[in-house]
Amino acid sequence: MEKLSRHARRLRAALVLVSLAAILAAPAAALADRDGDEGDDRGRPEHLTCPDSKSLVSIDEQICPSNSRRGVVVHHRKCCKNPAGQVHCDHFPHCPHNSPS
């Protein structure tokens, strides 16, 4: 088997590095565009909106205190008013035992 030239070795190393960078960047790019389509507000009150026929009354927040396994977690919920005047608030999710990440 012949040895590869210096140029071929550098080209092969460059291709390996580019492939590795693409593999590492792909999951980050896939996760960066998540909007919380499952109804999860992800702790961001700017994503809490009501359906078309309802109006937003308030946004409440619940603070889960820190423990030895995670820091402070803040949950938000929306309260919407329908055209008949009834107000309905979403439920707060449970406080996690471990770090949500």
Side-chain angles (χ1 to χ4, degrees), residues 79-90:
C79 294
C80 299
K81 183 186 223 182
N82 65 12
Q86 295 174 331
V87 176
H88 177 267
C89 296
D90 291 344

Side-chain angles (χ1 to χ4, degrees), residues 12-93:
R12 185 174 58 180
L15 288 174
V16 168
L17 289 175
V18 168
S19 299
L20 181 62
I23 290 170
L24 292 176
L31 294 174
D33 197 25
R34 293 185 65 186
D35 290 18
D37 296 331
E38 300 87 32
D40 183 13
D41 68 345
R42 300 211 169 285
R44 297 177 296 211
E46 64 269 11
H47 289 160
L48 296 172
T49 58
C50 295
D52 295 332
S53 64
K54 297 182 179 181
S55 60
L56 184 66
V57 176
S58 66
I59 296 176
D60 302 330
E61 77 176 21
Q62 175 190 29
I63 299 174
C64 299
S66 64
N67 62 21
S68 61
R69 290 177 264 168
R70 64 160 174 78
V72 174
V73 177
V74 179
H75 293 293
H76 294 94
R77 73 172 180 183
K78 63 184 175 188
C79 294
C80 299
K81 183 186 223 182
N82 65 12
Q86 295 174 331
V87 176
H88 177 267
C89 296
D90 291 344
H91 296 285
F92 282 117

